[in-house]
Amino acid sequence: MDSQTSQSSQASQSPHTFQVDLRGLVDLLSHHLYSSPKVYLRELLQNAVDAITARRAEQPDAPARVRLYAEGGTLRVEDSGVGLTEADVHNLLATIGRSSKRADPGDIQEARSEFLGQFGIGLLACFVVAERIRVVSRSARTPDAPPVEWTAADDGSYTVRTLPDDARPEPGTTVHLVARPGAGEWLTEERVLALARDFGSLLPYDVRVGDEAVTDLPAPWNRPYPSPATRRVALQRHCHDLFGFSPLDSIDLDVPLAGIRGVAYVLPSSVSPAQRASHRVHLKGMLLTERGEQLLPDWAFFVRCVLDTDSLRPTASRESLYEDETLAAVREALGERIRSWLTGLAAGDPERLSAFLSVHHLGVKSLARHDKEMLRTMLPWLPFETTDGQLSLEEFAQRHPVVHFTRSVEEYRQVAPIASAQGVGVVNGGYTYDSELIEALPSVRPGTVVAELDADTVTAHLDAVDPAEELALAAFLGAARAKLDPLGCDVVLRAFHPLSVPALHLDDRAARHEQARAEAEEKADDLWAGILGSLRGSAPRARLVLNHLNPLIRRISSLEDPELIGTATESLYGQALLMAQRPLRPADSALLNRAFIGLLEWATHSDPTEPTEDGRR
């Protein structure tokens, strides 16, 4: 019994071979691995180029030709590569997942770094558009071996047979495809030529579709030109043909240590930093992807690149780049090239730099946040909104002993007119990256004093009113404060310019936070009200600063009717909010409406002693 159990256990542990449903695998490739059926042509070109590379590694003078012929729903691809023997066919073509670039040392694999394909999917991708594949090949390594034919169908069946010598007199491989139902458009001559040029324009060998040349070498950025101006025009034309826009400038991306050759084109219009840039990446001349999003640092969103590399690794689909240390190093090197271009413009071509910054200052600010050298270089050029107009931080710091700034656009709009009239310079730090750059200013400009401008600072720069005059207005100020106290706002009397501003609404983030907490406490149940009440801080309240120099304020302050004083105060408060372009709360909107109606009622009564509808006088 024990012997039978042991034998049964051994039998159940014997290895089994996976069974592959080729139809299911083709569906997986076409709907999940590859983004489009067009990649079938890249696989064919890749196999042909790799075969030629392998043959030339042993026979440097061997011909290097790839020819494609499309007609009537069929495609024929001929190459003068290394070819295959019958054993190679069984080992390489009929085994899914095996790559000729992964075989034993001493074979094709010795030159693996020179090959495009590394994943062994190979001809299988052709089943995305073809229902039958026929390969006829003759080996250059074994000249005496007869030609061999491999024929496969999309149901997973294949046959292999040898052919007479005259079936393929010269070494190389010919691949025949027959279109699947509904896929014939992918095998038309027009489509094949367009795809071949898109994928293979930079391939190092002679590739043609019929009589039409596919390759266009040398690459536009490597060609000799009579003058720099001629080169610039040629690259502009190349960019327009490739990306559909005429660039502001072009940046050479020649990084020999990383095996990178190419060019970056500067966009002529601004784009969002959040928008992922798409770059064209060629791997050893073959187009790998048109969406190389990981190629450049995030801050370089203002350029589009096209380049050729032999150092980066593709993913299994060969439609994107594998994120590894090599890609990180290349990304850093390319970022350094763009940084050097910016530095060169700042040193030698300020007009072009100004034109660039007028469009892409946001990208440069993003870079300068983390790069002190770049901030120091760009300091005289980066524009900021200030109370003195559009200035660089360098110009502003030369004019003002203290660089005051606000962290939000709302705060800047509140204080800018008043601060400017008092001689206090303010920089609007509310735009993306600006406050960070302003705070970093002392690190690249020693001795510069940077301070955030808050309501207390603004109030301190306003002239105090004579104590006797303020005491005489105590009743008016008391009524005004009582009216605005429920809104969390104090009333202050000051004298300031411009005279045309009757009132100024000042608060800061701490005051707004406390206001929001108080509003939430009012709406909360007992439990949450207690919790929110315990969070009550000592933050300053918002304040309405009345301008004692303004004639309207002088007239209002002479009023004696408490109701009219309250209505006038609410009107001044609402007008100050609107001038500061602050978002209005429901309570603020109700106050504005109430004050407006109240003033209309008061203005339309000819006799102030006549009772109103509610009985008031």
Side-chain angles (χ1 to χ4, degrees), residues 84-113:
L84 302 171
T85 64
E86 184 176 358
D88 293 332
V89 166
H90 284 288
N91 289 332
L92 302 179
L93 298 186
T95 306
I96 295 173
R98 176 172 296 176
S99 172
S100 61
K101 275 67 75 178
R102 283 205 298 261
D104 297 330
D107 278 334
I108 295 175
Q109 308 70 17
E110 293 180 356
R112 177 174 179 175
S113 64

Side-chain angles (χ1 to χ4, degrees), residues 10 54 91 119 122 135-136 149 190 217 226 260 320 333 357 370 411 469 471 482 501 508 554 577:
Q10 291 176 0
N91 289 332
F119 295 93
V135 178
V136 177
E149 177 191 71
E190 182 180 5
L217 296 176
I260 298 289
S320 59
L357 289 178
H370 307 294
E411 291 172 355
E469 292 188 43
L471 183 61
V501 177
D508 52 26
R554 286 183 174 273
L577 284 180

Side-chain angles (χ1 to χ4, degrees), residues 56 80 123 150 161 201 217-218 235 250-251 259 287 385 426 450 469 485 488 502 522 583 612:
R56 282 203 156 186
S80 58
L123 287 173
W150 178 81
R161 64 179 180 135
S201 61
L217 296 176
L235 289 180
S250 57
I251 309 168
L287 179 65
E385 182 181 357
V426 185
V450 174
E469 292 188 43
D485 183 69
E522 290 179 2
T612 60

Side-chain angles (χ1 to χ4, degrees), residues 530-545:
I531 295 174
L532 291 170
S534 68
L535 297 177
R536 181 182 296 110
S538 58
R541 287 153 56 95
R543 66 199 69 175
L544 180 68
V545 184

